[in-house]
């Protein structure tokens, strides 16, 4: 795409994603010549005519503006903070799933507690200490209660990120899940090929997603 130029003759053959990328690149040109202005106008008119310009263009411009408004010191840090929070979320999610699995394994094994098995430390009928069966039931109840308490605690910690993830569009969410919700973080080049995205689109989607997450998490 280095020497690529959009004209009225070839624009109908150019993928929409390429047009958006070319448009953004031209807008950032240091020197806006008459030829650049003409190319910008051709792209803009084509996108408006085909109805593919408004939503995405507005979203990208909004993100660009948000990034410009971020103080320089924070701008250099928010990405690493969001990435760290995403990895924390992934690990916490794994923990919740494990806890729920443990809880499911305990519950079916609980014997039925009869009228003579009271969980007070003394058998209701005989007035003697609990039998081994009663003690096993008590132990399982205690373990189940501890597991449930931890599940609720971790789920509370997960909520802010879950809420933030709901602010992403399907492409952004797909990238975030593939990049950060795995044992080893995937390489950007691998994901570009996997999604069949060109480089400019991949990094635009990634940057937008991280900014939206940072906003929702009140990092910026």
């Amino acid at each position: 795409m280095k020497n690529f130029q959009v004209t009225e003759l070839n624009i109908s053959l150019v993928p929409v994603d390429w047009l958006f990328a070319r448009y953004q690149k031209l807008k950032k040109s240091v020197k806006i010549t008459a030829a650049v202005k003409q190319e910008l106008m051709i792209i803009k008119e084509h996108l408006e005519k085909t109805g593919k310009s408004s939503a995405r263009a507005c979203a990208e411009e909004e993100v660009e503006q948000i990034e410009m408004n971020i103080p320089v010191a924070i701008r250099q840090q928010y990405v690493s903070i969001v990435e760290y929070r995403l990895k924390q979320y992934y690990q916490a999610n794994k923990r919740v799933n494990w806890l729920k699995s443990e809880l499911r394994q305990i519950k079916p094994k609980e014997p039925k507690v009869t009228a003579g098995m009271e969980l007070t430390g003394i058998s209701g009928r005989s007035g003697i200490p609990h039998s081994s069966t009663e003690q096993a039931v008590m132990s399982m109840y205690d373990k189940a209660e501890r597991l449930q308490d931890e599940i609720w605690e971790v789920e509370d910690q997960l909520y802010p990120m879950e809420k933030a993830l709901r602010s992403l569009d399907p492409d952004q969410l797909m990238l975030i899940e593939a990049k950060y919700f795995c044992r080893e973080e995937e390489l950007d080049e691998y994901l570009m090929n996997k999604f069949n995205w060109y480089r400019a689109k991949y990094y635009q989607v990634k940057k937008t997603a991280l900014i939206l997450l940072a906003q929702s998490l009140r990092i910026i």
Side-chain angles (χ1 to χ4, degrees), residues 63-64 66-86 180 203-204 206-215 217-220:
V63 168
E64 294 288 342
I66 291 170
E67 190 173 39
M68 290 298 294
N69 292 336
I70 301 172
V72 176
I74 300 176
R75 196 184 305 168
Q76 296 170 351
Q77 299 175 12
Y78 82 89
V79 172
S80 59
I81 295 173
V82 172
E83 289 180 330
Y84 176 72
R85 294 280 295 273
L86 285 166
Y180 301 105
Y203 283 111
Q204 180 66 34
K206 181 180 177 182
K207 179 176 73 173
T208 304
L210 292 175
I211 286 178
L212 291 174
L213 291 175
Q215 276 192 306
L217 296 169
R218 302 185 184 278
I219 295 170
I220 57 176

Side-chain angles (χ1 to χ4, degrees), residues 42-58:
I42 291 171
I43 296 172
K44 183 177 180 181
E45 288 180 351
H46 176 79
L47 292 173
E48 289 176 349
K49 189 184 299 182
T50 56
K52 297 176 179 177
S53 63
S54 56
R56 177 167 172 177
C58 289

